[in-house]
């Protein structure tokens, strides 16, 4: 671990006693900051009764369960993207392995993706700090800042597909190596980027940016051709099953036509900043956002301060990246250049291909803002300025962590929301499914009068031991249902109250 806190691009072959200029001993407060950041990340593994389980997650887990049971690994995702193409198979592979190791319960898969994403965020902070020589203090500040994002907190606790989010975090760590990258680095980066491509094609601007920056860096190396072959070949190897499946599907996809919308370009540039803050988090509360704000009471004015944070953070991150790309140590310049090209390229792609920018579109680029902020701090010359900038970010992070705590308190009281973007949590859905399966008879018809998706309830019923041997029929009011056999039971699933996601079963 010593390399994390060494000087940027320090010679790893230097004698143990040799300290280079810029190296410094961690202070007790730096250790406290690092521990605080790790504890903030540990919050993701608490309040497990509030884990979301919404729509696409049970589809992923169902296919992963089939993989684990049959050994037949898929070559593409069952879900189509907005461009008319199937997603890649990497998320199904991930959950397939998770289910082989941990079993089919949704909670186990959620904890697996939470661990993977959390480890990637630590890798991201370690890579940035390593490249800039920021030491334990910078690493702790970055971990705290990433952990305080309500978006990252939510994404880490849902069995969805945030693998691009995880992959780019590890990518930064791989790019932070001192000196020129080696063939083994190219192999690792290629495999990682290939896995990210197989998760979602929106990572392509990052892939291209990485390729361009590394090609320019390697252009004088006698092994540049071998380096490029290792990088591209390993990425291609991972994606062979996916590419073959796309060829088979050619002609059946209906990609949307390209267009350009300047407003979406600005949204694409802003979203990596927004997801580091609380801006736009109302999306997950749906129509209950106003109720939540009223519930905050005296805390609300304090959280309203966070509404003004994204603009100065974005400006500071951009300045920091530009400075980092010009004057930082070589490995930091590499990261900054990939970041700038990725940020601009991804925003341009969104402006050309989508009709609306959603928060998860920032998966490939969220890391550029922490990197830029760290680069700006590293460029400051006066210790007083460094301390002011660092502790300002720590203050923002602590306020956002308080927002996460208050959000959890609200969701605990109201058992989630009755919208579709957070919904009734997994524990609430599991409770009513178990209750339904405990009803007499082998067939139970559940008339779903809520906004909870049937596919979520079905997956829970297929994996809960109490439901084995039971047939759970899910219907919507007014929709045709299969005939209820003699001895069957019909129950109605309703919300307990007008606000919140608490569920009840009624005859």
């Amino acid at each position: 671990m010593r390399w994390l806190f060494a000087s940027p691009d320090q010679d790893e072959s230097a004698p143990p006693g040799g300290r280079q200029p810029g190296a410094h001993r961690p202070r007790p407060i730096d250790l406290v900051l690092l521990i605080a950041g790790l504890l903030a990340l540990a919050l993701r593994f608490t309040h497990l009764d509030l884990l979301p389980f919404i729509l696409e997650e049970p589809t992923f887990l169902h296919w992963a369960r089939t993989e684990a049971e049959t050994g037949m690994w898929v070559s593409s995702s069952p879900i189509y993207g907005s461009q008319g193409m199937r997603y890649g198979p990497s998320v199904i592979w991930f959950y397939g392995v998770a289910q082989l190791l941990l079993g089919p319960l949704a909670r186990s898969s959620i904890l697996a993706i939470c661990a993977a994403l959390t480890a990637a965020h630590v890798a991201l902070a370690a890579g940035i700090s390593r490249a800039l020589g920021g030491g334990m203090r910078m690493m702790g500040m970055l971990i705290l800042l990433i952990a305080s994002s309500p978006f990252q907190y939510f994404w880490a606790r849902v069995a969805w597909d945030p693998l691009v989010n995880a992959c780019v975090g590890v990518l930064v760590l791989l790019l932070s190596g001192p000196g020129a990258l080696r063939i083994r680095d190219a192999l690792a980066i290629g495999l990682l980027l290939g896995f990210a491509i197989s998760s979602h094609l929106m990572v392509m601007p990052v892939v291209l940016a990485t390729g361009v920056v590394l090609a320019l860096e390697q252009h004088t190396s006698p092994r540049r051709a071998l380096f490029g072959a290792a990088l591209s070949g390993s990425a291609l190897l991972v994606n062979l099953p996916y590419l073959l499946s796309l060829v088979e599907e050619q002609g059946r996809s209906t990609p949307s036509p390209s267009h350009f919308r300047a407003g979406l370009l600005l949204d694409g540039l802003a979203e990596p900043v927004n997801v580091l803050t609380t801006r736009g988090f109302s999306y997950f509360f749906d129509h209950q956002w106003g109720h939540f704000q009223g519930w905050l009471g005296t805390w609300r004015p304090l959280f309203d301060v966070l509404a003004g944070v994204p603009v100065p953070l974005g400006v500071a991150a951009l300045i920091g990246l530009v400075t980092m790309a010009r004057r930082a140590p070589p490995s930091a310049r590499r990261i900054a250049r990939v970041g700038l090209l990725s940020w601009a390229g991804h925003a341009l792609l969104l402006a050309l291909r989508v009709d609306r920018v959603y928060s998860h579109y920032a998966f490939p680029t969220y890391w550029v803002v922490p990197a830029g902020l760290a680069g700006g701090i590293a460029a400051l010359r006066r210790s007083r300025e460094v301390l002011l900038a660092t502790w300002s970010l720590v203050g923002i992070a602590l306020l956002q962590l308080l927002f996460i705590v208050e959000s959890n308190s609200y969701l605990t009281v109201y058992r989630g929301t009755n919208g579709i973007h957070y919904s009734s949590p997994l524990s609430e859905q599991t409770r009513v499914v178990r209750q339904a399966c405990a009803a007499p008879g082998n067939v139970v018809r559940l008339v779903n009068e809520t906004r909870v998706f049937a596919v979520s309830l079905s997956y829970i019923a297929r994996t809960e031991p109490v439901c084995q041997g039971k047939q759970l029929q899910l219907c919507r009011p007014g929709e045709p249902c299969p005939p209820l056999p003699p001895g069957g039971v019909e129950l109605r699933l309703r919300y307990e109250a007008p606000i919140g996601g608490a569920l009840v079963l009624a005859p």
Side-chain angles (χ1 to χ4, degrees):
M1 294 293 289
R2 183 173 59 186
W3 60 268
L4 287 176
F5 310 119
S7 301
D9 295 282
Q10 181 173 337
D11 183 3
E12 293 179 343
S13 64
R19 291 176 57 82
Q20 297 188 2
H24 60 272
R25 291 183 180 274
R27 298 179 180 179
I29 190 63
D30 300 340
L31 179 60
V32 169
L33 190 56
L34 179 60
I35 293 173
L38 295 174
L39 289 175
L41 283 177
L43 284 175
R44 298 174 177 183
F45 298 91
T46 65
H47 291 90
L48 298 183
D49 58 322
L50 297 178
L51 297 174
F53 195 58
I54 311 169
L55 177 58
E56 292 182 346
E57 305 96 272
T59 303
F60 290 144
L61 299 189
H62 168 72
W63 281 66
R65 185 184 180 202
T66 302
E67 282 185 337
E69 291 176 345
T70 65
M72 300 290 290
W73 296 85
V74 300
S75 57
S76 63
S77 170
I79 296 175
Y80 285 87
S82 58
Q83 305 306 308
M85 298 168 58
R86 286 184 186 268
Y87 296 128
S90 58
V91 68
I92 313 294
W93 295 346
F94 177 90
Y95 289 124
V97 173
Q99 294 200 19
L100 280 172
L101 298 175
L102 305 173
L105 293 181
R107 174 167 162 163
S108 300
S109 292
I110 293 172
L111 291 176
I113 196 68
C114 186
L117 196 56
T118 300
H121 290 159
V122 173
L124 170 61
I128 296 171
S129 179
R130 177 194 192 189
L132 290 167
M136 193 179 291
R137 180 186 302 171
M138 179 175 286
M139 185 174 173
M141 181 269 292
L142 288 170
I143 291 176
L144 195 63
L145 192 61
I146 296 167
S148 75
S149 161
F151 292 91
Q152 297 288 6
Y153 179 85
F154 175 86
W155 291 326
R157 291 162 54 86
V158 60
W160 199 34
D161 185 8
L163 289 182
V164 168
N165 187 319
C167 287
V168 294
V170 180
L171 172 66
V172 172
L173 179 62
L174 295 178
L175 293 175
S176 71
L181 297 182
R182 305 172 186 177
I183 302 300
R184 66 186 184 191
D185 299 316
L187 288 170
I189 291 171
L191 288 171
L192 183 72
L193 291 177
F195 200 71
I197 292 169
S198 191
S199 168
H200 203 298
L201 292 174
M202 67 179 171
V203 78
M204 287 307 298
V206 178
V207 174
L208 295 175
T210 303
V212 167
V213 170
L214 294 185
L216 291 174
E217 190 177 276
Q218 293 282 328
H219 80 282
T220 58
S221 170
R223 307 179 73 182
R224 59 184 180 275
L226 184 58
F227 185 94
L231 181 67
S232 56
S234 55
L236 179 63
L237 180 65
V238 176
N239 281 284
L240 275 179
Y242 182 38
L243 291 173
L244 291 175
S245 72
L246 289 180
V247 170
E248 291 177 3
E249 292 234 342
Q250 191 174 12
R252 282 183 275 175
S253 61
T254 54
S256 59
S258 296
H259 55 260
F260 179 79
R261 300 181 183 179
L264 291 180
L265 179 65
L266 295 176
D267 289 345
L269 292 170
E271 207 57 35
V273 189
N274 293 342
V275 300
L276 195 64
T277 69
T278 61
R279 179 172 289 181
F281 199 69
S282 57
Y283 174 84
F284 296 105
F285 281 76
D286 292 298
H287 55 276
Q288 282 188 219
W289 179 249
H291 186 266
F292 168 64
Q293 288 184 304
W295 182 85
L296 287 172
T298 55
W299 286 119
R300 181 176 176 180
L302 186 61
F303 293 137
D304 286 344
V305 173
L306 294 174
V309 164
V311 173
L313 281 189
V315 172
L318 180 58
I319 294 172
L321 279 176
V322 172
T323 304
M324 194 171 159
R326 295 174 59 193
R327 297 202 301 248
S331 56
R333 290 201 301 269
R334 180 190 304 140
I335 291 171
R337 289 165 182 171
V338 172
L340 286 168
L341 288 175
S342 299
W343 197 355
H346 188 67
L348 180 61
L349 176 67
L350 294 178
L352 288 171
R353 300 300 300 174
V354 304
D355 296 316
R356 176 184 173 185
V357 174
Y358 292 95
S359 58
H360 65 273
Y361 289 176
F363 278 176
T365 51
Y366 75 93
W367 62 274
V368 303
V369 179
L373 293 172
I377 290 175
L380 296 174
R381 298 185 178 278
R382 297 181 181 177
S383 59
R384 184 176 299 178
E385 295 172 345
V386 171
L387 287 174
L388 178 61
T390 300
W391 291 106
S392 295
L393 292 178
V394 169
I396 291 171
L398 292 176
L399 189 55
Q400 292 187 167
L401 286 169
L402 180 59
F403 176 86
I404 291 174
V405 170
E406 288 299 305
S407 299
N408 280 339
S409 297
Y410 176 87
L411 294 169
T412 298
V413 170
Y414 291 98
R415 304 304 304 154
T417 75
N418 56 24
I420 63 171
H421 295 116
Y422 194 100
S423 190
S424 304
L426 174 63
S427 62
E428 190 70 7
Q429 296 181 46
T430 303
R431 180 184 62 80
V432 294
V433 167
R434 287 174 178 170
Q435 186 179 341
C437 289
N442 292 327
V443 178
V444 178
R445 175 185 290 167
L446 196 58
V447 181
N448 184 7
E449 299 177 1
T450 73
R451 297 185 182 90
V452 176
F453 290 103
V455 66
S456 305
L457 299 169
S458 295
Y459 185 83
I460 294 169
R462 287 195 298 269
T463 56
E464 278 296 319
V466 71
C467 293
Q468 302 311 304
K470 292 272 190 175
Q471 181 183 349
L472 189 66
Q473 295 180 354
L474 289 161
C475 304
R476 287 283 182 184
E479 294 181 355
C481 281
L484 194 63
V489 176
E490 180 175 286
L491 299 171
R492 294 186 172 271
L493 181 63
R494 297 170 174 167
Y495 289 117
E496 188 177 78
I499 294 293
L503 302 172
V504 292
L505 290 178

